[in-house]
């Protein structure tokens, strides 16, 4: 089963927004075992939308459109669907009444132009949108089936899960089939290292070809995704995941949707511990990461960003002589910052970052970072050297700090030791 | 002049990466006065790439491809270009020698597979890539001109500026023409408010149709982009920008590429002032924003994140009785936090955030934020109420805090006053 993805909107062509809907649909369909034939962005033009649907149907069994169903004059997807199906638009009185109610619930009268959201091509099936005023449409045409969904991500994604994907899987004969897949999440190690460690598994799998291995690298993290090919037993992917876990060892911090900060909060909560941070080059990003999760106030106390060097002494108690001798970018400075955060913010663990994000250096090469964790035992410091711009160095340093805390909390040595 | 944009790579279809190259090219071409016909993502398949180029050439005068020029077996764009032009691939000995040197400079021998990067369709023009091993290609075909560029953003963007865009503008007869355009940047106000304020200008412009007005909304910010249509005199867009500035007044914090944090640093530096922050719900994001800019240590002292309520007293000197009476989400708490940051971190200005990011409330509705600025004069507090998820509330609060500081520094009242 092949699916073509079409995003409608002139703002996509002008690059005013990135085609996030296209990427989301690609991921969702691929995960569900469907193949995406192409992903196209097209402007708000009836003829061009209709022509695009026709072209994609020569490549795919189904086409999923997003965007162009709203209340304004540049929303033209309904007209294009009518053209594709060769059936006129009719105003649906039931939909119009609902629309009027939707606006009334928000204290407004239905604008004349917005009533177009009740126009449906003859014979089309209406897809419910619980989160917005624009309903979706499903049209059966000679070459296959076409779904049109609103472009608002929250509305679109809910409708894919509730109606489009079950319908597509039913047509593909995959209804009810789970797609066996595992995602293992690693931090600090690069993609080359992670894939080298998995080389024995990849060699083994290349024979049978039942499980696909994919790598998704982001700043400081690599996700390994193991997916069963269509028709493969779930046990094959389970076995491959076991082997991958064994080969990757303590590089794996979590699985599935777990992010590194969530893994850390869980470990902290498990031992009724709290954390405070002391930051330099990361400027607040580490604290921001630790407060990303709802409910993080249970384990996160707070932090001090001592950006100016003398504040490292004044606010965190770092030895002024040490700072004078070595400057602020030094492993011992990181250790004392972590201790200072732990003590002054009354937390079980203190975590610190110092380093050079560039472009100005502080006596060390750009990309040098020291991260430290101070807990009931002596502080642990880890030093990293990487490349990349200022933003990458800062974000990778946050990952290194969180991962060092994760390792200390779970009794593992620092990365590489 | 119409340009089709094609991104090559199966990872785009599977949504493993978002099509950022497509968005960047769309923005760059639109800004230069060219029209983007469609933006397509296609997999690593020779036949499909070639077919896509053919289809796009029926819509556009030129097609720009990115990706598929690298050293591995799934890089197939060269073969597809040969198929499109009907001319065989030939290995270019000069390119192969350079490639060998490129690898030698990195201490490696040229892998056999990687030598394909020296293959050029007969009659194609080679586009230099100063940042990587894969050169670009330009092929003239019956329907127009096709450019192929590497998919690595840093390499691709440099090549667009150096060779593709000058060549395209020359063909369009726009060479040397500047594209008259203005971007005005506003903070805190929503898109509806900004566009309502500009309604008189939009009405005026809709007659002549010489200048386009576009809005780009992101969390807490709206950019207004005024672009002259092809052939319009620059003075028309200059006049429109003057009128837009007048209508928007102190909502405009900057123009062009300036971000809000950069605008704030410039105002601080201009009066030799420094800033320190005191954060609650933003957890470090405000400090992170103020250290995003290289060289920010000249104006940013540091910050305290007092996430736990009692730390607001211990670290920032907020009156414990006030916290007991009103809880941490209160305008006066914000004011005292800003004062505490100013005094304890020895800065000219202190900026503070407190509020409810959700989902747990603290006696106030989710989305309530208080931001405060304390300087040589009495603290100024601004209160906002918005909707959105935890992440949106936090990021919008950072914008509100920076914008309040901008207003204080430039002698303007808080937003809405």
């Amino acid at each position: 089963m092949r699916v073509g993805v079409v995003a409608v909107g002139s703002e996509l062509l002008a690059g005013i927004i990135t085609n996030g809907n296209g990427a989301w649909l690609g991921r969702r369909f691929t995960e569900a075992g469907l193949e995406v034939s192409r992903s196209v962005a097209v402007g708000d033009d009836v003829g061009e939308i209709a022509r695009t649907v026709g072209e994609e149907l020569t490549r795919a069994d189904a086409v999923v459109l997003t965007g162009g169903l709203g209340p304004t004059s540049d929303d033209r997807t309904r007209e294009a669907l009518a053209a594709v199906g060769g059936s006129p638009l009719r105003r649906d009185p039931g939909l119009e009444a609902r629309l009027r109610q939707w606006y009334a619930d928000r204290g407004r009268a239905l604008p004349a132009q917005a009533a177009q959201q009740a126009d449906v091509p003859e014979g089309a099936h209406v897809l419910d949108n619980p989160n917005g005023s624009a309903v979706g449409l499903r049209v059966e045409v000679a070459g296959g089936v076409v779904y049109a969904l609103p472009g608002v991500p929250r509305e679109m994604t809910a409708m894919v899960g509730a109606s489009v994907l079950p319908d597509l899987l039913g047509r593909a004969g995959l209804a009810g089939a789970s797609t066996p897949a595992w995602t293992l999440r690693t931090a600090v190690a690069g993609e080359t290292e992670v894939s080298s460690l998995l080389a024995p598994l990849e060699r083994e799998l290349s024979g049978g070809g039942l499980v696909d291995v994919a790598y998704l690298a982001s700043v400081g993290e690599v996700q390994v995704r193991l997916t069963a090919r269509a028709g493969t037993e779930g046990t094959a992917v389970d076995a491959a995941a076991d082997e991958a876990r064994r080969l990757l060892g303590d590089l794996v911090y979590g699985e599935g949707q777990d992010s590194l900060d969530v893994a850390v909060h869980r470990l902290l909560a498990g031992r009724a511990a709290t954390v405070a941070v002391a930051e330099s080059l990361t400027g607040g990003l580490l604290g921001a990461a630790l407060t990303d999760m709802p409910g993080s106030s249970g384990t996160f106390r707070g932090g001090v960003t001592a950006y100016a060097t003398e504040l490292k002494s004044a606010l965190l108690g770092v030895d002024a002589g040490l700072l004078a001798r070595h400057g602020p970018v030094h492993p011992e400075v990181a250790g004392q910052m972590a201790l200072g955060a732990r003590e002054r913010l009354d937390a079980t663990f203190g975590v610190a970052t110092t380093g050079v994000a560039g472009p100005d250096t502080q006596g060390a090469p750009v990309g040098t970072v020291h991260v430290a964790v101070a807990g009931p035992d002596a502080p642990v410091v880890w030093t990293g050297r990487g490349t990349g711009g200022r933003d990458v160095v800062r974000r990778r340093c946050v990952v290194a700090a969180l991962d060092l805390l994760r390792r200390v909390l779970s009794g593992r040595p620092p990365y590489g030791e």
Side-chain angles (χ1 to χ4, degrees), chain A:
Chain A
M1 178 96 180
R2 286 163 65 90
V3 185
V5 171
V6 177
V8 179
S10 299
E11 69 280 13
L12 292 162
L13 298 185
I16 292 170
I17 58 171
T18 304
N19 189 359
N21 280 355
W24 187 90
L25 287 168
R27 205 158 47 238
R28 196 77 183 79
F29 291 153
T30 304
E31 284 177 359
L34 306 170
E35 188 186 343
V36 176
S37 49
R38 294 207 311 177
S39 183
V40 179
V42 63
D44 301 308
D45 179 278
V46 175
E48 187 56 90
I49 301 168
R51 186 178 160 197
T52 294
V53 170
E55 286 177 355
E56 297 316 307
L57 280 175
T58 66
R59 297 174 161 90
D61 312 293
V63 173
V64 177
L65 293 140
T66 61
L69 292 179
T72 65
S73 59
D74 58 358
D75 289 310
R76 314 296 296 274
T77 299
R78 278 174 294 265
E79 291 162 74
L81 281 192
V84 167
S87 33
L89 284 178
R90 304 255 186 243
R91 186 145 302 179
D92 180 314
L95 274 184
E96 189 174 356
R98 254 181 49 186
L99 208 51
R100 208 172 289 285
Q101 188 58 48
W102 194 91
Y103 277 84
D105 289 345
R106 284 152 186 81
R108 292 158 61 193
L110 177 64
Q113 176 83 54
Q116 69 185 14
Q117 292 177 286
D119 292 346
V120 175
E122 219 169 67
H125 180 83
V126 169
L127 307 172
D128 194 35
N129 175 4
N131 300 309
S133 63
V135 294
L137 297 169
R138 188 184 73 216
V139 181
E140 314 271 348
V141 294
V145 57
V146 182
Y147 305 83
L149 305 171
V152 179
R154 195 170 65 101
E155 302 175 18
M156 184 275 288
T157 56
M159 293 167 78
V160 168
S163 52
V164 176
L165 203 49
D167 194 59
L168 278 172
L169 292 174
R171 288 164 192 259
L174 297 168
S178 72
T179 313
W182 285 98
T183 300
L184 308 184
R185 303 176 71 120
T186 73
V188 184
E191 190 174 356
T192 307
E193 180 183 351
V194 172
S195 62
S196 299
L197 287 169
L198 291 184
L201 177 65
E202 287 217 54
R203 268 195 301 277
E204 202 179 293
L205 293 173
S206 65
L210 298 176
V211 177
D212 283 321
V213 184
Y215 300 92
L216 172 52
S218 54
V219 174
E221 302 205 14
V222 178
Q223 292 178 37
V224 180
R225 189 161 170 78
L226 300 157
T227 318
R229 299 234 175 118
T232 301
E233 291 284 321
T235 49
V237 76
D238 292 345
D242 283 344
E243 177 70 358
R245 275 184 211 103
R246 195 183 64 74
L247 293 168
L248 294 172
D250 66 12
L251 289 184
V252 177
Y253 72 76
E255 306 203 352
Q257 296 302 311
D258 272 12
S259 54
L260 183 52
D261 61 300
V262 171
V264 163
H265 281 299
R266 189 184 302 124
L267 287 166
L268 286 165
R271 49 199 279 180
T274 59
V275 64
V277 300
E279 305 190 52
S280 182
L281 86 157
T282 50
L285 288 172
L286 177 58
L290 281 166
T291 53
D292 192 47
M293 188 187 84
S296 52
S297 59
T299 38
F300 181 72
R301 296 277 302 160
V304 167
T305 296
Y307 212 60
T309 299
E310 72 271 22
L311 290 181
K312 292 182 176 68
S313 299
L315 298 179
L316 293 165
V318 176
D319 176 14
L322 176 70
L323 289 168
R325 277 196 306 282
H326 296 297
V329 182
H330 191 270
E332 241 181 280
V333 172
Q336 292 194 12
M337 288 171 68
L339 277 170
R342 176 177 193 262
E343 284 164 17
R344 302 199 177 194
L345 280 78
D346 194 18
T348 326
F349 291 91
V351 184
T353 64
T354 184
V356 184
D360 43 326
T361 68
Q362 313 218 9
V366 173
T368 305
V369 300
H370 305 291
V371 297
V373 172
D377 304 319
V380 178
V381 184
W382 180 83
T383 295
R385 287 186 178 81
T387 54
R390 182 175 173 83
D391 180 52
V392 169
V393 171
R394 280 160 38 107
R395 285 160 64 201
R396 205 162 41 206
C397 183
V398 169
V399 173
L402 292 174
D403 193 57
L404 184 62
L405 177 57
R406 185 229 359 142
R407 287 168 174 273
V408 168
L409 286 167
S410 51
R412 311 272 190 172
Y415 171 76
E417 289 177 18

